[in-house]
């Protein structure tokens, strides 16, 4: 098997996350109001560990504490939304279970003892040039020269976003749009911006390009460019990510 190497993603917008997940707990009775996110602000998230986090958000004059845990393999996110009174007392308002499905994301909401289910559907459009863009098993060719990057395909995806969706739920939607894990950098940064701004929709574009060994059909490199936008005409860029996979023994610069 050809081994591949990863070139780290480059973000146009870095909204949250340091270089690691740091434990951080905040007592409801001692809220740091600098950590309360208002619409249009960068979302300030306290990471408890790699797959759980919490944050505060103000809506219609009420401050809410959102506590979430995620299964990083399946993309399932559990959320608890709690209101906070003036004395710092917490009151559970609702819980949600966000589950990625084949054509979208299912969200089950439990509130006042009643559970409702809604499906956030994903709309997709593909522009393709070639059908096969996976680096296959092969023997290294005698030539080290590679072709320029050539267009393979572009995926355009979009989905609606209810204003009540949590950061974790939005991350699950974007993860499904890009078919990436919840820990992917563009998923994290895009979700934070959309959750903070309460955007009604999300639009993504994913373009794949490839390199071959000159004079052969051997696929030596794959490049993915991913964008998240706030507008349907693909303007108002929220985040951008670039990733390159290159077969060992070759340079895909």
């Amino acid at each position: 098997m050809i081994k591949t190497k990863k070139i780290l993603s480059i973000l146009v917008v870095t909204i949250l996350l340091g270089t690691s997940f740091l434990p951080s707990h905040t007592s409801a009775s001692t809220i740091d109001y600098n950590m309360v996110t208002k619409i249009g602000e960068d979302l300030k998230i306290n990471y408890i560990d790699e797959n759980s986090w919490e944050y505060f958000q103000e809506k219609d004059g009420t401050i809410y504490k959102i506590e979430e845990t995620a299964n990083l393999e399946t993309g399932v996110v559990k959320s608890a939304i709690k209101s906070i009174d003036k004395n710092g007392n917490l009151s559970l308002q609702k819980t949600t279970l966000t589950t990625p499905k084949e054509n979208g994301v299912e969200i089950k909401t439990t509130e006042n003892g009643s559970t409702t289910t809604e499906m956030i559907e994903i709309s997709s459009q593909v522009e393709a040039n070639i059908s096969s863009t996976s680096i296959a098993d092969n023997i290294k060719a005698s030539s080290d020269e590679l072709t320029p990057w050539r267009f393979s395909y572009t995926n355009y995806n979009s989905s609606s976003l209810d204003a009540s969706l949590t950061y974790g739920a939005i991350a699950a939607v974007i993860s499904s749009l890009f078919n990436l894990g919840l820990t992917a950098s563009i998923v994290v940064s895009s979700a934070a911006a959309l959750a903070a701004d309460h955007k009604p929709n999300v639009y993504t574009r994913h373009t794949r390009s490839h390199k071959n060994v000159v004079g052969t059909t051997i696929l030596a490199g794959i490049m993915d460019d991913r964008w998240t936008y706030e507008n349907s005409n693909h303007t108002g860029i929220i985040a951008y990510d670039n990733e390159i996979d290159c077969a060992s023994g070759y340079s895909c610069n």
Side-chain angles (χ1 to χ4, degrees):
M1 293 288 292
I2 287 185
K3 297 182 179 178
T4 60
K5 62 180 181 179
K6 296 283 188 180
I7 295 180
L8 295 179
S9 302
I10 301 171
L11 287 180
V12 168
V13 181
T14 302
I15 298 175
L16 54 96
L17 284 182
T19 56
S20 62
F21 293 93
L22 299 176
S24 179
H25 299 274
T26 306
S27 169
S29 60
T30 57
I31 298 172
D32 180 356
Y33 283 86
N34 291 322
M35 293 299 294
V36 176
T37 299
K38 298 181 179 179
I39 292 178
E41 294 182 345
D42 293 351
L43 198 62
K44 307 170 186 71
I45 299 179
N46 295 323
Y47 283 94
I48 299 169
D49 53 39
E50 187 179 11
N51 68 335
S52 61
W53 56 84
E54 63 185 26
Y55 63 96
F56 298 95
Q57 204 158 30
E58 183 177 355
K59 183 178 180 181
D60 299 328
T62 300
I63 295 177
Y64 296 90
K65 181 182 182 182
I66 296 88
E67 303 169 348
E68 300 189 294
T69 60
N71 184 316
L72 302 183
E73 294 183 0
T74 65
V76 174
V77 179
K78 297 179 180 179
S79 311
I81 296 89
K82 303 176 181 180
S83 62
I84 304 174
D85 66 19
K86 62 181 180 180
N87 296 319
N89 298 313
L90 293 172
S91 177
L92 180 65
Q93 298 299 307
K94 62 181 179 180
T95 61
T96 62
L97 181 67
T98 305
T99 306
K101 299 291 184 178
E102 183 176 355
N103 297 315
V105 175
E106 178 188 83
I107 299 181
K108 289 185 177 181
T109 302
T110 301
E111 188 173 9
N112 298 323
S114 177
T115 299
T116 58
T117 301
E118 68 170 314
M119 187 72 180
I120 298 178
E121 297 182 350
I122 291 175
S123 176
S124 300
Q125 178 185 351
V126 180
E127 295 178 1
N129 183 37
I130 63 174
S131 59
S132 178
T133 55
S134 297
I135 296 178
D137 294 344
N138 57 70
I139 300 174
K140 189 178 186 310
S142 58
S143 171
D144 287 334
E145 186 178 357
L146 303 182
T147 64
W149 289 112
R150 295 171 173 172
F151 170 76
S152 298
Y153 62 78
T154 297
N155 279 330
Y156 296 94
N157 294 323
S158 63
S159 188
S160 61
L161 297 174
D162 187 280
S164 64
L165 290 184
T166 65
Y167 160 73
I170 293 174
V173 172
I174 298 173
S175 176
S176 296
L177 290 172
F178 281 122
N179 195 27
L180 296 169
L182 284 172
T183 54
S185 57
I186 192 168
V187 171
V188 169
S189 59
S190 300
L194 291 163
D197 285 347
H198 290 177
K199 299 293 184 182
N201 300 287
V202 59
Y203 305 91
T204 63
R205 177 161 63 105
H206 168 210
T207 295
R208 174 164 286 188
S209 305
H210 68 280
K211 281 179 179 282
N212 297 100
V213 178
V214 170
T216 76
T217 59
I218 295 175
L219 187 58
I222 293 173
M223 179 168 65
D224 292 299
D225 292 287
R226 303 181 183 94
W227 296 262
T228 305
Y229 303 94
E230 60 179 289
N231 302 317
S232 60
N233 62 350
H234 298 100
T235 60
I237 187 170
I238 295 172
Y240 166 74
D241 175 88
N242 172 267
E243 184 178 34
I244 296 175
D245 284 355
C246 193
S248 60
Y250 295 104
S251 174
C252 292
N253 295 334

